[in-house]
Amino acid sequence: MKKIIFVCLLLSGSSLFLSAQTLENRILSYTNRCIFTADINGDGYLDLVSGGLYNLQWHKNTGNGVFRNYLITANYADIRAVHACDLDEDGDMDILVSSFTNNRVLWMRNNGNQIFDEVILTSTAGGTEYLDVADIDNDGDLDILGAAFNSDIVYLLTNDGNENFAQTTIATGLDGAISVKAADLDNDGDMDVAAAAFNNNTIVWIENTGSGAFVTHTLSSSINGPVSLQVSDLDNDNDADLIYTSNGGYGWFTNSPGGLGQIVLSSYAIREICIVDLNNDSHKDIVLADYNEDDIIWSQNNGYQNFGYGGIIDFSVDYASMIVSGDFNNDGFTDIISGGSYDIKIHLNNASQTFTTAQVDRALYTALASCAGDFDNDGDTDIMGGGYLNLNFIRNDGNGLFTTSKVLPSNISMAIIDMHAADLDGDGDTDVVFSADAYGFPGLNWIENQGGGTFERRIIYGLADAEAIYPVDFDFDGDMDVVASSMDGSYVYWFENNGDEVFTQHLISGNYWYPMDVCAFDYDQDGLMDVVAAYSGNSDKIVIHRNTGSGFTNWAINSSAPGANSVAVIDMDLDGDLDCLSSSFEDNKIAWYENPNFTQHIITTSAIGATHVDAGDFDGDG
């Protein structure tokens, strides 16, 4: 039997993802907060792990610094820390995760095929901001350290060798504990701990006495808002130094026989720091993430721990706050991966310390709309996605790898609501029409595809409180017009294209409240384009506006569709005429309406919070 399969998006943020438990590619992500690098799949290439808001992914390095993104879980609202290690010593990389809002530390146990089983190690982690791993008790297995921001402590999860963990507090009074690092700071052969407390401006080292006891020593209580700690032998004298960033600047504590002495490098606020020899001169340089200016900066070590300006690696990492390093393309030079609230980027280090930058991940914050089309004319289907602050082009390379680039500058209020692909200017490539409701984006817009993955924004019409938009040759004159709705007065219009992308407004209806979505089709095959609309609020109807040639008549095919918000047109029963689909979120219903009488057939009443519906032969069975 032939059949049509429908798709219903149940969440208001329409990011597209499939579970990495089946090794499917995640195209769009939510906001990122933390990153860590390790060879997750054991193929000899450094991969990446990232976490954030409803977002835990691993990014597979395909061998040349190009990454394929896999979702591990979207179940945790706010992941603040990730760390990869072989916790159970079975030969593959596991992932440790801090879930901030429910005070959990999770062990994502790798079964060997990058399918991860979740194990809760503690549910009393006190809002953990950072995790580190080391053999703290010298028994040959890995223990876990946590900095608990909400409970103002540093704690230790001690491994008994069989991955059973006992939680103990090793330091208290650290108001807003935000970072923790393990290192042998006193050169006595056991692992000590360094920690930073954001709220009381303190950095401490916590001495491991070797007998299971810990003694806290204050290094400074006057560093304004310390944020990050790193451990490295910065001066190449064979001991562990401690590097910090803060709201009051960045610097380091040099380790010497007399103890740890502070050296301030700058009073400029820096969010994150990475210690790495970028130019292969055997001296460790500094790479900085400048949150305020969106910059990734290289500060070059002259060999005497004097750090000069090496250059800007990237000046457009939105809210830069994360850095990791590694040789991601195995060319012998250390590369950088940086991240911020919306971006994860890789910066491949060339032999001359110039950097080639590519996007690893790009979050569509408050993502609300997407559409598909061959935007680069290479024969495969790409994606365009839009949200409140972003409009992104997600290019498909034909092998299931997607790279993201900005269509418009980021962090500009767009408030994109609806989006569709169409060749609006008739030049043979796929453009995009979208509705938006923010200053500077007047209602109805289109993105002109200029070829080669470049785009320019154009204005269709300055429609106030624009909601839905739908491209169609409404008057059958050979060019693409637009049907759209406005919440300002609750009107539905069509906009006539004169052939040169100049549009004239025509009223279809103003008889119903809150037109949430519109589609156009010649339902009665009389050569005139009709419109179906979903009306919500006080109306709660699905209405066909029949085109008479001199105006429109109204036909409510469903007068009880509470929370109606989406419509689509397709030949559901394959009888040669177009039927309608609708979704309504208050009754959790998906329904289709059979042409010619548009008899309602309920598909489901359990589509909880349904906000969008569409249909197609997704399984290719005809």
Side-chain angles (χ1 to χ4, degrees), residues 365-479:
Y365 184 59
T366 60
L368 288 174
S370 63
C371 62
D374 185 6
F375 296 108
D376 54 4
N377 289 328
D378 64 352
D380 50 42
T381 302
D382 312 300
I383 295 173
M384 199 75 69
Y388 190 84
L389 297 174
N390 297 291
L391 178 57
N392 292 347
F393 169 43
I394 302 102
R395 185 198 301 267
N396 183 357
D397 76 344
N399 296 307
L401 286 175
F402 293 83
T403 55
T404 303
S405 59
K406 303 173 188 176
V407 175
L408 299 173
S410 59
N411 304 333
I412 297 175
S413 293
M414 292 179 253
I416 292 173
I417 298 169
D418 196 14
M419 178 183 293
H420 291 275
D423 184 6
L424 200 66
D425 53 5
D427 64 353
D429 51 33
T430 304
D431 310 304
V432 175
V433 298
F434 70 92
S435 59
D437 186 26
Y439 179 78
F441 286 81
L444 308 180
N445 303 262
W446 68 288
I447 298 294
E448 182 183 357
N449 188 343
Q450 298 187 321
T454 60
F455 305 88
E456 289 290 336
R457 182 178 72 92
R458 313 292 185 201
I459 295 172
I460 296 173
Y461 199 88
L463 183 65
D465 290 333
E467 182 71 19
I469 189 168
Y470 188 84
V472 65
D473 184 2
F474 199 85
D475 50 8
F476 297 99
D477 66 349
D479 53 39

Side-chain angles (χ1 to χ4, degrees), residues 27-48:
I27 300 170
L28 303 177
S29 81
Y30 290 87
T31 299
N32 294 294
R33 284 189 177 272
C34 49
I35 55 178
F36 194 89
T37 185
D39 184 3
I40 299 297
N41 59 346
D43 64 353
Y45 297 104
L46 283 174
D47 307 304
L48 187 71

Side-chain angles (χ1 to χ4, degrees), residues 349-376:
N349 186 356
N350 303 313
S352 58
Q353 285 69 63
T354 58
F355 293 85
T356 302
T357 294
Q359 204 91 31
V360 175
D361 200 14
R362 176 74 183 171
L364 271 175
Y365 184 59
T366 60
L368 288 174
S370 63
C371 62
D374 185 6
F375 296 108
D376 54 4

Side-chain angles (χ1 to χ4, degrees), residues 475-495:
D475 50 8
F476 297 99
D477 66 349
D479 53 39
M480 294 298 290
D481 311 300
V482 169
V483 178
S485 67
S486 168
M487 292 300 185
D488 185 10
S490 294
Y491 292 107
V492 176
Y493 302 98
W494 76 279
F495 296 85

Side-chain angles (χ1 to χ4, degrees), residues 56 58 64 68 112-113 118 127 178 209 224 236 246 287 296 331 346 362 406 439 468 507 596:
L56 177 63
W58 78 280
N64 55 0
R68 186 193 298 266
N113 295 311
E118 178 183 302
I178 197 169
T209 65
N224 179 23
N236 287 334
S246 74
V287 180
I296 304 298
D331 66 349
I346 185 168
R362 176 74 183 171
K406 303 173 188 176
Y439 179 78
L507 178 66

Side-chain angles (χ1 to χ4, degrees), residues 158-300:
T158 304
N159 187 348
D160 69 354
N162 295 307
E163 292 71 59
N164 300 307
F165 291 86
Q167 183 174 345
T168 55
T169 298
I170 63 171
T172 60
L174 299 173
D175 188 4
I178 197 169
S179 187
V180 63
K181 284 289 183 180
D184 184 6
L185 293 172
D186 55 4
N187 296 313
D188 65 351
D190 52 35
M191 280 290 180
D192 307 301
V193 180
F198 181 84
N199 291 332
N200 62 2
N201 306 317
T202 297
I203 293 177
V204 300
W205 78 279
I206 305 163
E207 181 184 359
N208 184 351
T209 65
S211 60
F214 295 86
V215 179
T216 300
H217 306 272
T218 300
L219 294 176
S220 176
S221 57
S222 59
I223 296 175
N224 179 23
V227 176
S228 175
L229 296 175
Q230 299 295 331
V231 174
S232 180
D233 184 8
L234 194 59
D235 50 9
N236 287 334
D237 65 351
N238 299 313
D239 52 32
D241 305 306
L242 183 64
I243 302 95
Y244 69 89
T245 68
S246 74
N247 287 343
Y250 60 95
W252 60 300
F253 291 89
T254 178
N255 196 339
S256 64
L260 291 158
Q262 184 179 3
I263 299 174
V264 176
L265 295 176
S266 174
S267 60
Y268 183 75
I270 287 294
R271 184 63 61 92
E272 184 59 283
I273 197 166
C274 182
I275 310 303
V276 59
D277 181 8
L278 279 184
N279 55 355
N280 286 354
D281 65 353
S282 300
H283 303 301
K284 293 180 179 177
D285 308 307
I286 290 174
V287 180
L288 306 165
D290 186 343
Y291 182 91
N292 295 321
E293 297 296 330
D294 302 332
D295 292 337
I296 304 298
I297 305 165
W298 172 29
S299 186
Q300 185 175 357

Side-chain angles (χ1 to χ4, degrees), residues 35-50 57-62 67 82-87 92-96 110 114 116 324-328 330 337:
I35 55 178
F36 194 89
T37 185
D39 184 3
I40 299 297
N41 59 346
D43 64 353
Y45 297 104
L46 283 174
D47 307 304
L48 187 71
V49 179
S50 67
Q57 299 181 87
W58 78 280
H59 310 261
K60 178 183 176 181
N61 186 347
T62 62
F67 292 83
V82 290
H83 192 107
C85 63
D86 185 5
L87 192 64
D92 50 42
M93 280 289 176
D94 309 303
I95 298 171
L96 295 172
N110 189 346
Q114 291 62 252
F116 296 88
V324 293
S325 64
D327 185 1
F328 294 99
N330 289 351
I337 290 180

